[in-house]
Amino acid sequence: MTGPRQPKDMPGLLKFCLEATRSEDAPVQDPDRALQEMDPERKKWLEEALSSMAVDFIEQLGNGIKVLNSDTADLEEKEEVLDKLEDWLGNIDMAVNFHKIGGYSCLRNCLLGPHPSL
């Protein structure tokens, strides 16, 4: 017997959680039906909780580009951004998104800059 399928998005995560904890809850056969019949206040709370936990990586990448291009950001802050980018850009999809929003030009500027740590 296999476990529940791994979630790909927030509604999928909610469905995954409902399926994974099914034995702990009152008996429910259909998770989709359970979601539809869920108390609107509880459903709203769950959606808000899940959305507050979600990270908008494109926004984070954009903020990193702003920091790297900033003349007012200190060296330590720029190094921290580069460390985060190193982690995130190991994923090819993230690297493509970084390229699409113009991120590689700021990396070029870092390489050509006066600070060897960048």
Side-chain angles (χ1 to χ4, degrees), residues 11-84:
L13 179 61
L14 180 58
K15 185 175 179 180
F16 174 84
C17 291
L18 286 172
E19 289 174 359
T21 60
R22 183 180 306 185
S23 64
E24 301 169 14
D25 297 332
V28 175
Q29 299 300 322
D30 183 14
D32 290 326
R33 188 170 145 222
L35 284 174
Q36 291 172 352
E37 294 175 355
M38 185 182 292
D39 176 46
E41 187 175 315
R42 181 174 183 213
K43 187 174 182 178
K44 180 182 177 197
W45 180 86
L46 285 172
E47 288 173 350
E48 287 174 1
L50 289 172
S51 66
S52 71
M53 293 173 51
V55 176
D56 183 357
F57 285 107
I58 301 300
E59 182 180 335
Q60 295 293 320
L61 291 173
N63 292 338
I65 291 170
K66 288 177 187 174
V67 169
L68 292 175
N69 286 332
S70 172
D71 294 331
T72 60
D74 65 354
L75 182 61
E76 188 175 312
E77 190 176 5
K78 289 183 178 186
E79 289 173 347
E80 186 178 322
V81 167
L82 286 174
D83 285 340
K84 289 179 183 177

Side-chain angles (χ1 to χ4, degrees), residues 58-116:
I58 301 300
E59 182 180 335
Q60 295 293 320
L61 291 173
N63 292 338
I65 291 170
K66 288 177 187 174
V67 169
L68 292 175
N69 286 332
S70 172
D71 294 331
T72 60
D74 65 354
L75 182 61
E76 188 175 312
E77 190 176 5
K78 289 183 178 186
E79 289 173 347
E80 186 178 322
V81 167
L82 286 174
D83 285 340
K84 289 179 183 177
L85 288 177
E86 183 178 6
D87 291 339
W88 293 338
L89 300 181
N91 177 322
I92 189 68
D93 293 329
M94 292 294 286
V96 168
N97 290 334
F98 187 67
H99 171 68
K100 287 179 181 178
I101 62 173
Y104 288 112
S105 62
C106 74
L107 291 181
R108 183 177 184 276
N109 294 338
C110 289
L111 290 171
L112 298 175
H115 303 289

